[in-house]
Amino acid sequence: QAVERLQEADRIKSNFLATVSHELRTPLTSVIGYSEMLLEGIAGELNEEQREYVKTVMEKGDQLLQLITGILDISRMEANEMRFERTSFDLNQIIGIALNTVTPQARRKTIEVTQVVAPALPAVYGDRDKIRQVILNLLNNAIKFTPEYGKVRLEVRPGPLDPNGASGEPGIWVAIS
């Protein structure tokens, strides 16, 4: 009987998380959409500083949307319904978004963030949003645990999937130091 009550409580929790997450996505999607329209100049031209602010609002909205999606993913995992989107995408774009997202945090701590990205990276095949989240989490942690006036370096280069090179399969190395 106790097990049944725990299972019911777990089901209710999962439904609650899924419902709240879904309800948060609707207004957040509007915030992102209006930000995109502002960047497109629908309400008039923006100066460079205004464009940067709107880009930041849009990126933070996207980051929050991804967090909400993560909550939904947890509910899906618990229900054995988790899916991974597999597409080909440009890793440079993901890196740019992640670096723009952490820049204000790095500035507050006077941390220098540098990037070394190999030229002509091949397209990456995988779940774009989950890879972006991993890179963003790594950068956030690097900045969080780096003392003031420190340095964080993001390096991205082609390399074998197997660190020992045994598999011979091509991959991408992402290192943060």
Side-chain angles (χ1 to χ4, degrees), residues 92 95 115-119 121 154-157:
N92 284 310
I95 291 166
Q115 63 175 317
V116 178
V117 180
L121 282 175
L154 169 66
E155 182 177 351
V156 182
R157 60 182 166 80

Side-chain angles (χ1 to χ4, degrees), residues 60-80:
K60 294 299 181 182
D62 185 53
Q63 188 178 2
L64 188 54
L65 186 61
Q66 297 307 316
L67 179 63
I68 292 166
T69 300
I71 293 169
L72 281 170
D73 286 347
I74 290 170
S75 296
R76 289 181 185 127
M77 282 189 299
E78 289 176 346
N80 289 328

Side-chain angles (χ1 to χ4, degrees), residues 4 6 18 23-24 34 50 54 68 78 99 112 131 147 161:
E4 287 177 11
L6 286 173
E23 293 301 320
L24 289 172
Y34 278 102
Q50 291 169 328
V54 173
I68 292 166
E78 289 176 346
L99 288 171
E112 178 186 344
I131 290 172
L161 286 178

Side-chain angles (χ1 to χ4, degrees), residues 85-158:
E85 298 294 322
R86 290 182 179 94
T87 60
S88 182
F89 62 91
D90 180 9
L91 189 59
N92 284 310
Q93 184 183 36
I94 300 299
I95 291 166
I97 290 169
L99 288 171
N100 285 338
T101 301
V102 301
T103 295
Q105 179 187 0
R107 274 194 204 132
R108 283 192 297 274
K109 289 183 71 177
T110 319
I111 292 175
E112 178 186 344
V113 178
T114 58
Q115 63 175 317
V116 178
V117 180
L121 282 175
V124 174
Y125 184 75
D127 191 312
R128 180 184 188 278
D129 292 332
K130 288 178 180 53
I131 290 172
R132 181 196 56 78
Q133 191 61 49
V134 167
I135 292 172
L136 186 58
N137 288 348
L138 290 170
L139 284 169
N140 276 323
N141 285 340
I143 291 168
K144 180 179 179 180
F145 295 108
T146 298
E148 277 192 74
Y149 304 103
K151 295 180 180 183
V152 170
R153 174 183 154 129
L154 169 66
E155 182 177 351
V156 182
R157 60 182 166 80

